[in-house]
Amino acid sequence: MKYIDIINESTQSIADFIEIKPDIAIILGSGLGPLANEIENPKEISYTDIPNFPPSTIPGHEGKLITGTIEGKNVIAMKGRFHYYEGHEMDIVTLPIRVFSKLGIKNLIVTNAAGGIRDSFNPGTIMIINDQISLFCPSPLRGPNLDEFGPRFKDMTEVYSNNLITLANESAKKVGVEVENGVYSYFRGPQFESPVEVRAIRTLGGDATGMSTVPEAIVARHCGMSTLGISLITNKAAGLGANQLNHNEVMETAGHSEKNMILLVKKIIKDWNLQ
Ligand code: HPA
């Protein structure tokens, strides 16, 4: 099947199911799933019931779409996302973004758990992503261009919307949640980075590192969507902390800090002046 037909088939099945027109799509990263509990009048659909959506294979990633409202705004949230390291090609990793675009959604919030590279970043730090390093990310735009979404050569100057970065910082201040701003750098995983890889990325300007988000943000930009990216630092990146890294630590820290993430994201959605 051609990729555009795959996109259309998945879109149709979701359109048949949902009763609202979502304005904001939210991707919930590792351990950040509880944000989904904030959705009012929720309606859930399992990935296993959506054609072409693979099931989630990672603990902390449940594998369902939830629609409803947060602070009076219509949202659709992904509890669990697809990663390259699971064996999916980039067209599957980014299929939900194409589908959201087809559903008419113009706004995206991507969240993730990440390793902190900047010295001042500790477990629990929340980082508003202001740019990204995609050097190690196979381009999700490789192959025939999908002209109906965007051009062959797409500008990446505002892969994260400046307006949304401003909104997020203002909302954070109003609600008393401390945030930092910084650059997210992509590694394919699933192995964590080596200490020298972390030092290399620090030299290149990276403040945090992770295994998601960048492919989705590139495709969202290609589709002309406005993206806000938020990283929750769950650990110091390899070589910068005392301990070796493990996924349980990532999940645990995400659990401790979820209150602040929820406060922040709800306030952002409340203050968001949707066009
Ligand atoms: N590296 C990559 N991905 C991550 C990390 C990390 O240190 N922490 C959480 N996700």
Side-chain angles (χ1 to χ4, degrees), residues 113-116 192-193 209-211 234-238 245 250:
F192 288 109
E193 301 75 28
T209 178
M211 308 171 194
T234 52
N235 55 279
K236 282 191 170 283
L245 307 181
V250 169

Side-chain angles (χ1 to χ4, degrees), residues 1-269:
M1 200 160 39
K2 274 177 33 194
Y3 188 42
I4 192 67
D5 297 327
I6 289 175
I7 295 168
N8 286 331
E9 188 181 59
S10 304
T11 305
Q12 193 55 51
S13 85
I14 295 168
D16 289 345
F17 168 80
I18 61 182
E19 287 159 1
I20 55 164
K21 189 197 160 306
D23 287 313
I24 304 172
I26 310 171
I27 302 180
L28 303 168
S30 284
L32 301 171
L35 255 174
N37 300 337
E38 300 299 312
I39 298 176
E40 291 170 43
N41 304 313
K43 239 192 134 205
E44 299 184 357
I45 177 170
S46 165
Y47 294 165
T48 50
D49 293 326
I50 304 171
N52 315 311
F53 271 44
S56 258
T57 65
I58 320 299
H61 288 262
E62 237 174 276
K64 55 190 183 190
L65 274 179
I66 306 157
T67 63
T69 60
I70 296 182
E71 298 289 352
K73 301 209 168 69
N74 290 346
V75 302
I76 185 165
M78 286 186 79
K79 203 167 179 185
R81 56 147 65 88
F82 312 130
H83 305 82
Y84 186 73
Y85 64 70
E86 291 174 86
H88 307 307
E89 296 304 328
M90 281 300 181
D91 54 358
I92 293 298
V93 172
T94 57
L95 175 62
I97 308 295
R98 297 292 186 193
V99 168
F100 294 150
S101 177
K102 274 274 176 180
L103 288 169
I105 299 168
K106 299 207 161 27
N107 306 292
L108 176 69
I109 302 177
V110 239
T111 65
N112 59 57
I117 299 180
R118 196 188 296 174
D119 279 334
S120 61
F121 285 9
N122 289 303
T125 298
I126 294 175
M127 183 185 87
I128 309 297
I129 307 177
N130 58 19
D131 208 342
Q132 66 186 20
I133 297 176
S134 70
L135 292 175
F136 300 122
C137 183
S139 177
L141 304 182
R142 179 172 173 266
N145 185 54
L146 300 173
D147 295 330
E148 66 181 274
F149 292 93
R152 168 80 295 182
F153 301 107
K154 180 67 184 176
D155 176 81
M156 289 286 141
T157 323
E158 259 195 70
V159 64
Y160 299 96
S161 151
N162 284 341
N163 285 342
L164 294 181
I165 291 169
T166 303
L167 168 68
N169 281 293
E170 284 171 356
S171 299
K173 209 175 283 168
K174 284 183 203 152
V175 85
V177 171
E178 234 178 89
V179 296
E180 303 286 344
N181 289 239
V183 173
Y184 179 90
S185 182
Y186 178 88
F187 280 84
R188 276 170 294 203
Q191 75 284 4
F192 288 109
E193 301 75 28
S194 70
V196 70
E197 285 166 344
V198 169
R199 291 201 299 276
I201 283 299
R202 186 208 288 263
T203 307
L204 294 179
D207 297 302
T209 178
M211 308 171 194
S212 67
T213 300
V214 166
E216 291 112 310
I218 291 173
V219 168
R221 182 80 178 112
H222 186 251
C223 296
M225 296 165 82
S226 297
T227 299
L228 172 67
I230 309 176
S231 292
L232 173 63
I233 305 298
T234 52
N235 55 279
K236 282 191 170 283
L240 302 179
N243 306 322
Q244 297 198 359
L245 307 181
N246 67 74
H247 187 59
N248 288 340
E249 180 194 353
V250 169
M251 301 279 293
E252 232 176 78
T253 310
H256 291 152
S257 308
E258 94 203 6
K259 226 179 69 221
N260 276 344
M261 284 290 281
I262 289 171
L263 250 176
L264 175 62
V265 173
K266 281 183 82 169
K267 182 65 174 159
I268 291 168
I269 292 174

